[in-house]
Amino acid sequence: MTLLKREEWQHFVRDVDWTFAYVDDEAVFPEWHSGTGKVPREAWLNWEEDYKVSYSEYVATQREKEGSAYAVKAALQRSRAWETLSEGWKSSTKMHFGGVTLVEYEATLAELKMARFGLNGAWRNVAAFGALDEIRHCQITLFFGHEFVGKDPQYDWTQKMFHTDDWVAVSLRNLFDGMMVTPNVVDLAIQLPLTFETGFTNLQFVALSADALESGDVNFANMISSIQTDEARHAQQGGPTLEILVEHDPIRAQWVIDKAFWGSARAFAALTGPAMDYYTPLEHRKQSYREFMEEWIIDQFIRTIEDYGLRKPWFWDEFMKGLDTWHHALHMGLWYWRPTLWWKPTAGVTRDERDWLREKYPNWETVYGDKWDVIIDNVNSGNMEATLPETLPWLCSMCHLPCCNATLGYDGRWRVRDYLLTHNGVTYHFCTAGCRQIWWKDRDNLNHPTVIDRFLAGEIQPMDVGGILGYMGLTPDVMGDDPDYGWAAEYKDRIVTPRVPVAGA
Ligand code: MN
Ligand code: MN
C-alpha cells in the first residue's frame, strides 16, 4: 500500500465541512454563538491558519513537552530549591498559581466553543487542539502548585481561589467571563487568541520566566515556558478571524480589540505590575514593568493592529499615562489590604528600591513617596493598626479594582478622581474614563456586582473586616501579611515632619 504524502491529505482532513440536508444552517450555527454579524457566511471559507498540524504530530509534540517539564520537576523535587527562594518571588508565583490555574480551565471552555461554533472546519480543528492545550495548562499548573501545599497553605489557593468570592476572583471572573464565556466565537477569537494570548500572555509567560530564572526558580520558569509554546500555536486563531471581520465590519473589530486590550491592561497592572516592580528582588529584576510593557506589548500590539488597518484605541493616552501610576497605586492598595490576599506582599520600598523606582518612574516619589512615609512611620512606631484596613476601598464597576489612580490636574496636583455615571437611577463609579466608557457601551452585557455592591446590599455579614474576610474565604492561616517588616528599620532615623492640616485641603 502506498501512503499519501502529507500535502496530499492534510487539506481535506483539517477542513471538513458539508452541507446540511435535514436542518437549517442557523440551527447548527446559531448567530448568538457563531456571531457572523455583517460577515457573509461564505466569507468564512477563506479562513486559514499558518501552522497546519495533524493529530499525530500534535500528540507526539505534546508528549515530549510534558515529558521534559515533568522530568525537570522530578529532578528539582529532590533539591532544596524552593527553600532558597525569596518570599517576594514566592508571592509572585502564588499570585500566578491562584490567578491563572482556573483561567486555563475557562480557556478550555472557550476553545471548545470555537471548536463547535466556528464557521470553518479548519478553525474548528485548530480549536480542538486548543482545548487539549488548555486542559494541559490547567493540570500542569495545579500539579506544580500542589507540591508546595504541605510547606505553605497559601499554595492551596492554586485550586481554591476561583471558587471563592475574594475580590481578586470577582475581578478576574468578570474580565474572563466577558472575554471567554459570554461572547460569540468571532468576538471570542479576537478577544482571547488575538488580544490576550498574542498581546498579553507573552508578558506573563515569557518575560516573567526571565525574572523566574534570575530568582533561581527553574521549576516555575520551566512550567510557564512549556505552557507558552502551546499558546503561540493556538493563538493563531486570532489573525485569520480578524482578517475576515475587518474586511466586512471594521468598527466591530476595533471595538472588540479595544475592549479586550483595556480589560487585560487593568488586570496586568493589578497583578503582573506589583510582581515585577515590587516582589521580584531588586538584584533579580531584568526590566521595570513599564519597560516590559513597552517591549512586549505596546510595540507589537500597535504593529499588529495597524497591519490589519485598525487604529490605536481611543483610550491610548489614558492607558500610556497609566503605565506610570496604575500598578504603583494598586500595589499600595494590595499591601494595605494584605489580609485579603493569598500571598505575602513585600512592601518593596527600601531606600535602594525607592532609588530604582524613582529612576524608572520619575514621578514616583511625588505621587507615592509621602504615602509610604506615613506607613513607614506607623510601622516604626509600632502603630500597626494604622497600617491595616478598617473597611473596603471603593471598587470600579467595570474592572472591579480599587478606584485609586492618581492623575495630574491642571493645578499641578495629583488626585484620585471619581468617574461617575448615572444609569436607570443608579450611580456607578469607575476608576478611569476608559472603564466608564466600556461599561456604558457594553451595559447590556454581563456585569458582576462588585464586592462593594454586595456589601452595601447586606450580603456580607457581619459588616466589618472580619465579615469581609470570611465572605472572601480567607482563613487566618492563609491571610496575606508582609513577610518581614524589618525593611522599615532603615528609616528609623528619618526626620518626621509633622503633618499640619491645611485649611480647605
Ligand atoms: Mn493556556
Ligand atoms: Mn490559550
Side-chain angles (χ1 to χ4, degrees), residues 100 103-104 107 130 133-134 137-138 197 201 205 227 230-231 234:
V100 174
V103 175
E104 302 279 16
D133 290 342
E134 301 295 4
H137 302 169
C138 178
E197 288 173 342
T201 56
F205 286 85
I227 290 175
D230 292 351
E231 298 295 337
H234 64 238

Side-chain angles (χ1 to χ4, degrees), residues 250-277:
I251 291 172
R252 175 178 165 199
Q254 181 84 50
W255 153 244
V256 174
I257 289 179
D258 292 354
K259 180 172 71 158
F261 185 91
W262 181 269
S264 307
R266 290 294 299 147
F268 268 69
L271 302 174
T272 317
M276 288 178 164
D277 282 359

Side-chain angles (χ1 to χ4, degrees), residues 29-41:
F29 297 109
E31 175 63 17
W32 66 288
H33 276 323
S34 293
T36 193
K38 291 181 185 168
V39 183
R41 181 68 168 82

Side-chain angles (χ1 to χ4, degrees), residues 328-369:
H328 297 306
L330 288 163
H331 166 65
M332 189 181 279
L334 294 178
W335 190 88
Y336 191 73
W337 274 274
R338 55 204 181 281
T340 68
L341 307 177
W342 65 93
W343 65 87
K344 296 174 188 145
T346 48
V349 289
T350 60
R351 289 190 194 279
D352 287 349
E353 287 164 329
R354 264 163 97 150
D355 286 344
W356 183 88
L357 286 162
R358 270 192 297 266
E359 182 203 317
K360 300 292 182 185
Y361 304 92
N363 281 320
W364 190 90
E365 194 64 42
T366 314
V367 188
Y368 305 102

